[in-house]
Amino acid sequence: MASLPPTLDFAKTEEEICAKWEKEQTFKTQDKLSLERGDEEYTFYDGPPFATGLPHYGHILAGTIKDVVTRHACMRHLHVSRRAGWDCHGLPVEYEIDQKLNITHRDQVLEMGVDKYNETCRGIVTRYTKEWERTVTRLGRWIDFENDYKTMDPTFMESVWWVFKQLFEKGLVYQGYKVMPFSTACGTPLSNFEAGLNYKDVRDPALVVSFPMLNEDGSGGSGSATEEVSFVAWTTTPWTLPSNLALCVHPTMTYIQILDVKTQKRYILAQSRLSQIYPIMNNKKKWKPAMAAELY
């Protein structure tokens, strides 16, 4: 402890350590020695970032954790291939180009030509790679930027399809259902990150939707057997309706069947939501219980 200076500039010390590693090629030497020893391979799956944006706190935190895991594997005499990678797929790249070229509709892409549009996208996928390398190196993370990979490389895409084929042939692929953000313009589901690219606070209408019952006599204890009875659902998230698969009822809520006087149709709905069908019931000054007979 006596040899320590009275004050220590941690930032400067970190820069000196990074410079020493760079000068002595410490990372490359460690990797070379590991290969010469024939160390067992340690496979580490690293989701690559988009190079169309600069690194932020989330990247730095995740990158530090990844570096700890791979360094620990190397300390256990395992060989870890640590290549930097860039995610070139998805809407973030297209979003950047659409903003740059003022593209707002699919027809504009077709008019421009898909090949030219794709080439323009390829031109920006490595726009910030140098900034990424500078930041990651400064953080002390050991990763190979010279032999990086890009998800748009044919070899990478073919390897992904090969893996998927192996899973399919082993019966490990199944079709399921999941509610996802969806772009009607692009005709594709969106990741949470993609959905947040153009996030806006907007006012959406609440909707009341009727769902006719199937295989029922429709009488509900009254009326003729030919009358149609529908469930009524109220939603404040109308954009989820295209993917709607089922209706649910609550075991402790009270449901009623009504005959709407105006349409002469029968509906089943939660009793507490009558005021959503008949807004006048929310007006305490005008609403009188006797008026219910005029509505249902």
Side-chain angles (χ1 to χ4, degrees):
M1 295 294 291
S3 61
L4 288 175
T7 58
L8 185 61
D9 188 336
F10 286 99
K12 183 178 179 182
T13 302
E14 290 173 357
E15 292 173 353
E16 291 173 351
I17 292 174
C18 288
K20 178 179 173 64
W21 285 344
E22 178 65 26
K23 180 180 179 181
E24 298 179 356
Q25 299 288 287
T26 310
F27 171 47
K28 290 183 178 180
T29 302
Q30 182 203 55
D31 191 61
K32 179 182 177 182
L33 291 174
S34 180
L35 288 171
E36 290 177 350
R37 290 194 303 265
D39 292 344
E40 181 183 349
E41 193 71 26
Y42 178 86
T43 303
F44 182 78
Y45 295 102
D46 183 4
F50 290 103
T52 51
L54 295 170
H56 54 68
Y57 170 76
H59 296 120
I60 293 171
L61 176 62
T64 301
I65 296 172
K66 293 173 182 177
D67 193 45
V68 170
V69 173
T70 52
R71 281 176 183 263
H72 180 254
C74 290
M75 292 171 68
R76 292 188 293 120
H77 295 290
L78 297 171
H79 178 259
V80 187
S81 295
R82 287 166 280 182
R83 295 172 59 197
W86 310 109
D87 190 344
C88 310
H89 287 80
L91 295 182
V93 176
E94 296 180 18
Y95 179 75
E96 291 283 331
I97 294 302
D98 290 349
Q99 295 295 304
K100 178 182 177 181
L101 302 180
N102 195 28
I103 293 176
T104 58
H105 198 271
R106 178 173 177 270
D107 290 342
Q108 293 174 272
V109 177
L110 297 178
E111 183 179 349
M112 175 183 179
V114 175
D115 55 341
K116 294 180 180 179
Y117 183 82
N118 286 344
E119 192 59 38
T120 307
C121 289
R122 292 189 187 97
I124 69 164
V125 294
T126 57
R127 182 168 55 185
Y128 294 119
T129 52
K130 289 301 178 183
E131 287 81 354
W132 272 87
E133 182 175 359
R134 183 162 53 251
T135 300
V136 172
T137 302
R138 174 63 183 83
L139 289 168
R141 183 181 179 185
W142 283 0
I143 191 166
D144 187 358
F145 281 97
E146 293 179 5
N147 299 301
D148 60 352
Y149 69 90
K150 304 173 185 65
T151 61
M152 66 179 180
D153 294 338
T155 52
F156 180 89
M157 291 187 287
E158 289 171 0
S159 71
V160 174
W161 279 111
W162 179 86
V163 170
F164 184 82
K165 182 174 182 288
Q166 305 306 306
L167 295 173
F168 180 81
E169 291 180 344
K170 293 178 180 180
L172 299 176
V173 178
Y174 67 94
Q175 182 178 1
Y177 296 94
K178 184 179 181 181
V179 177
M180 294 283 292
F182 189 85
S183 169
T184 53
C186 299
T188 180
L190 303 174
S191 67
N192 289 334
F193 175 76
E194 291 168 341
L197 281 175
N198 195 31
Y199 187 87
K200 298 176 182 177
D201 287 325
V202 298
R203 293 181 65 86
D204 278 303
L207 296 183
V208 176
V209 188
S210 63
F211 297 85
M213 293 178 61
L214 301 177
N215 302 321
E216 294 288 339
D217 61 12
S219 64
S222 63
S224 67
T226 59
E227 287 180 332
E228 181 182 89
V229 179
S230 300
F231 282 97
V232 172
W234 176 63
T235 176
T236 57
T237 56
W239 58 86
T240 63
L241 288 173
S243 61
N244 189 72
L245 295 175
L247 288 174
C248 299
V249 294
H250 199 282
T252 63
M253 293 182 67
T254 301
Y255 293 85
I256 60 174
Q257 181 179 147
I258 64 170
L259 173 64
D260 181 63
V261 174
K262 184 177 181 180
T263 63
Q264 287 297 299
K265 292 185 177 180
R266 294 189 177 275
Y267 299 108
I268 298 175
L269 70 157
Q271 188 174 17
S272 60
R273 299 315 306 163
L274 268 172
S275 59
Q276 189 65 34
I277 306 296
Y278 307 111
I280 193 173
M281 296 178 69
N282 293 314
N283 192 323
K284 295 182 179 180
K285 293 182 179 181
K286 294 183 178 181
W287 174 249
K288 300 293 186 292
M291 298 170 61
E294 302 174 9
L295 302 175
Y296 62 91

